[in-house]
Amino acid sequence: MRRRLKLAFIIDRKTTYRIPPHPSSPVRHVWKMVERDHAQVLGAVPRHVLGADEPADVVIRYAVSQDRCPDRPEAFCFRFVKDGGRTTLHIAAADDLGLVYGMLEYSGKYLGVDPFWFWADLSPERRSRIEIPEGDYDSPEPFVRFRGWFVNDEVCLIGWKEEYPPTSEVWEPVFEALLRCGGNMVIPGTDLPKHGVHADVAAEMGLWVTHHHAEPLGAEMFLRAYPGKKASYQENPELFETLWEKAIEKQKDRNIVWVLSFRGQGDQPFWVQDPAFDTPEKRGEMISRVVRKQYDMVRAKVTDPYCCVAFYGEISELYKAGHIHIPDDIIKIWADNGYGKMVSRRNGNENLRVPSLPELQDKGKHGIYYHVTFHDLQASNHLTLFPAPASLISGEVEQAFRAGANDYVLVNSGNIRPHVYTLDLIRELWTQGEADTEEHLQTFVRRMFPSGSPEIAALFREYAGRTVPYGPNEDDRAGDEFYHHPARQIVGHWLQGKSDQPHARLNWATGVFDFPEQVEWFRRKCAEAVPGLRELRERIEQLLPELAEPDRLRLKDHLLLHVELHLSGCEGFEALGQSYSAYRNGNYPLAFVYASQAMWNYRRGRVALQEAEHGKWANFFRADWLTNIDSTVQNMDTLRRWLRMHGDSPDFFAWYKHFLMPETEKYIYLENTHRNPLSDDELAQRLADKFGV
């Protein structure tokens, strides 16, 4: 029996499109993307028509009953329609987001535009024509109903351009990538000014907007609205409710997933400002009462609203203890610990690791708030890739789904660009409900490095095995902040003359030990990681010449940069520990040399960031205010200047004379020709050569 071949539908530079008359804002935005993509791939801006009677090759429209498109929200279908001798591709959907996803599926599947094309500098392949087998297609239902990003700790996005708050130039590529990943929900930034365009652009592009758990209903912070007033709902309920009323009124006509919550100002427990609530019962009753009030206020203005409560920090603990009661139709959001594990987060030195998932008796709808990037002043990854294996992410998210937390997934996406790999993995998880991390990695590498080598997948895989394991748990892997915040704490403690007592803020990592042992703990952990990181960097550098230039640059930006930030941090911290040891032994010149080497190593991290600021990424990392490598470099510079005063002061010539001046000159030199002190860098380098370190 002969097999019947499907006919091919042709897309080329002459392909015409018909879009709906008077298109909605989301459809207008995505049509611009399709126009751009068509021009990039086929070399000509496509012609589009609006009239229903005008012929077109690709028709973008709302579905009718005879299409038999899936009738659920956000679904779309492709239909190849015969009209005489002409075939037309119809992209049809029942609603705006369905059309958005249909148009982006066309762009990705047929024009070859990657979801992260902008963030990974991955231009689609130029082609003269594209052949599509004719065959109807119905979009599958995503595994998760609400799927989105929390664009949090977004200092790179904030500092990238001169304008503040960020303009649509910054936000549109963020939201485009989210939509291309099948996301439909976003928290567009953290505590940005009210006049910013972030929420407006998100809504215009069709996304559901939701809120930070510290900003319930998206309302203005109490102390901003009422400076000088006490932020107590017990004492000033009408003031809080006025803010909530304004927020509801402003957003009631938009697609909103309403966050109901009650935390204190500055994202901390409310009883910090209102200490009368001194028992779990009192605290739980207040949170329950406030959530119910917010719930009723929203329902009075919005028909069938979607509402959620974030079980983050103390709210999760109070709920599990039975002190918080909320209506069953509110989605309960469970959070990981910031390091990918679905347990309670570390709070200072306290790390209870209480499971953070719904239990069998927990009724209603559930979801998760998950971090692929985090900022906590301890060991989190802010500038670098998730430091634990990707299998940890898939395992924890799939476990949450099995526990019933699959109505909502909100991912802390940070500044997007450093986290493309893990955000892409989450895309697969929220779409399909599961992911084979090895298969995903292989597919991801083929997309990102089309000229590449199979070894690239191994390099990504091995990255997590080279990060610092600082604790007994699988998620206890160090991100970039591990090398900087503790290092600056150590320098401050040391220079303040407190070395005779432990630094309590380091106990989370080291345990309770004397300060010298705390310093040695960090030095040893970092030193142990250095050989593996050096070997990984060397393998990446050896592979680079084999790649085409775009892939070479992409591998530098999306892996080598991350390895260099870890390696420079480890080598910087190791040298800092050696400096402290030499100082304790009274060897101040050697301590000065090691402090200088610490500074030079940390400075390599800043150089690595600058090298990644090519082309459109100019200034992308200039607002590194959280990890703050520049601050660490300055701390090391302060330390070495302080150490140089231990024996080289006041003339800053003694160490040169003692260690570097030729013996033939030491006793006959004239001061007026030999008293030009060496700079710190030159002295440190020459002493390092002398000491052989």
Side-chain angles (χ1 to χ4, degrees), residues 644 651-653 674-679:
R644 191 170 177 181
D651 300 315
F652 299 97
F653 183 71
H674 283 78
R675 279 303 186 96
N676 182 17
L678 298 179
S679 69

Side-chain angles (χ1 to χ4, degrees), residues 654-669 674 686 690:
W655 290 350
Y656 169 78
K657 178 181 177 182
H658 183 76
F659 294 106
L660 302 174
M661 182 178 278
E663 288 295 323
T664 55
E665 293 291 319
K666 278 186 181 180
Y667 307 104
I668 62 172
Y669 73 91
H674 283 78
R686 293 181 64 176
K690 176 73 174 180

Side-chain angles (χ1 to χ4, degrees), residues 418-599:
H419 311 292
V420 166
Y421 170 45
T422 44
L423 289 173
D424 193 67
L425 176 59
I426 294 288
R427 173 188 63 83
E428 187 164 317
L429 284 163
W430 72 27
T431 301
Q432 300 180 12
E434 60 183 7
D436 181 320
T437 53
E438 183 57 31
E439 184 178 310
H440 170 265
L441 175 59
Q442 297 290 344
T443 302
F444 176 81
V445 166
R446 285 195 295 270
R447 283 164 42 205
M448 293 293 128
F449 309 99
S451 75
S453 152
E455 190 177 356
I456 295 177
L459 297 173
F460 270 89
R461 189 185 309 113
E462 291 173 27
Y463 163 84
R466 307 301 174 90
T467 57
V468 173
Y470 63 83
N473 305 296
E474 61 177 338
D475 53 305
D476 292 337
R477 310 288 302 197
D480 48 280
E481 295 199 342
F482 180 85
Y483 315 114
H484 296 274
H485 293 285
R488 297 198 294 264
Q489 289 167 343
I490 284 170
V491 170
H493 200 70
W494 177 4
L495 268 56
Q496 291 171 43
K498 298 179 180 178
S499 299
D500 59 340
Q501 52 189 287
H503 195 324
R505 290 181 63 188
L506 300 177
N507 291 349
W508 65 269
T510 67
V512 182
F513 292 104
D514 290 339
F515 183 66
E517 293 174 273
Q518 291 180 307
V519 177
E520 174 58 18
W521 184 93
F522 277 100
R523 186 208 66 78
R524 185 177 66 255
K525 285 290 181 184
C526 290
E528 289 169 353
V530 165
L533 288 165
R534 284 179 178 167
E535 192 266 345
L536 183 58
R537 180 182 66 178
E538 182 179 340
R539 285 173 55 198
I540 296 170
E541 290 175 337
Q542 288 175 346
L543 182 62
L544 289 174
E546 301 178 16
L547 304 177
E549 177 57 28
D551 290 0
R552 187 182 310 140
L553 192 59
R554 199 170 299 115
L555 188 59
K556 287 181 179 179
D557 289 350
H558 294 275
L559 188 58
L560 182 58
L561 167 65
H562 302 257
V563 173
E564 182 61 20
L565 290 175
H566 280 280
L567 180 56
S568 60
C570 278
E571 291 179 330
F573 218 146
E574 181 185 12
L576 172 60
Q578 291 170 314
S579 178
Y580 183 69
S581 178
Y583 168 81
R584 290 189 70 224
N585 291 328
N587 191 340
Y588 303 128
L590 184 59
F592 165 79
V593 169
Y594 280 130
S596 297
Q597 291 179 338
M599 187 188 82

Side-chain angles (χ1 to χ4, degrees), residues 333-392:
I333 311 303
W334 303 83
D336 76 310
N337 63 348
Y339 295 83
K341 195 72 175 176
M342 293 302 297
V343 296
S344 58
R345 65 170 290 189
R346 185 167 53 232
N347 184 11
N349 293 320
E350 183 181 74
N351 193 13
L352 301 178
R353 295 181 68 86
V354 176
S356 180
L357 284 174
E359 298 176 358
L360 290 176
Q361 67 270 23
D362 290 320
K363 299 178 181 179
K365 298 179 178 181
H366 299 269
I368 61 172
Y369 169 40
Y370 197 81
H371 294 78
V372 299
T373 174
F374 192 41
H375 165 62
D376 72 345
L377 309 174
Q378 290 184 338
S380 47
N381 68 303
H382 170 65
L383 297 173
T384 55
L385 272 171
F386 190 78
S391 57
L392 171 65

Side-chain angles (χ1 to χ4, degrees), residues 15-21 23 27 31 46-62 83 86 88-91 99 103:
T15 295
T16 56
Y17 296 79
R18 185 195 305 155
I19 64 175
V27 172
W31 167 245
R47 188 173 73 87
H48 76 275
V49 298
L50 295 174
D53 297 328
E54 289 192 65
D57 301 303
V58 179
V59 175
I60 299 160
R61 60 175 175 81
Y62 294 97
D83 184 8
R86 181 190 185 98
T88 301
L89 169 58
H90 288 237
I91 302 172
L99 280 183
M103 295 162 75

Side-chain angles (χ1 to χ4, degrees), residues 92 100 114 126 232 282 455 458 524:
V100 165
D114 193 88
R126 287 295 296 268
S232 167
K282 292 179 184 178
E455 190 177 356
R524 185 177 66 255

Side-chain angles (χ1 to χ4, degrees), residues 10 102 251 683:
I10 307 299
Q251 302 169 87
L683 177 63

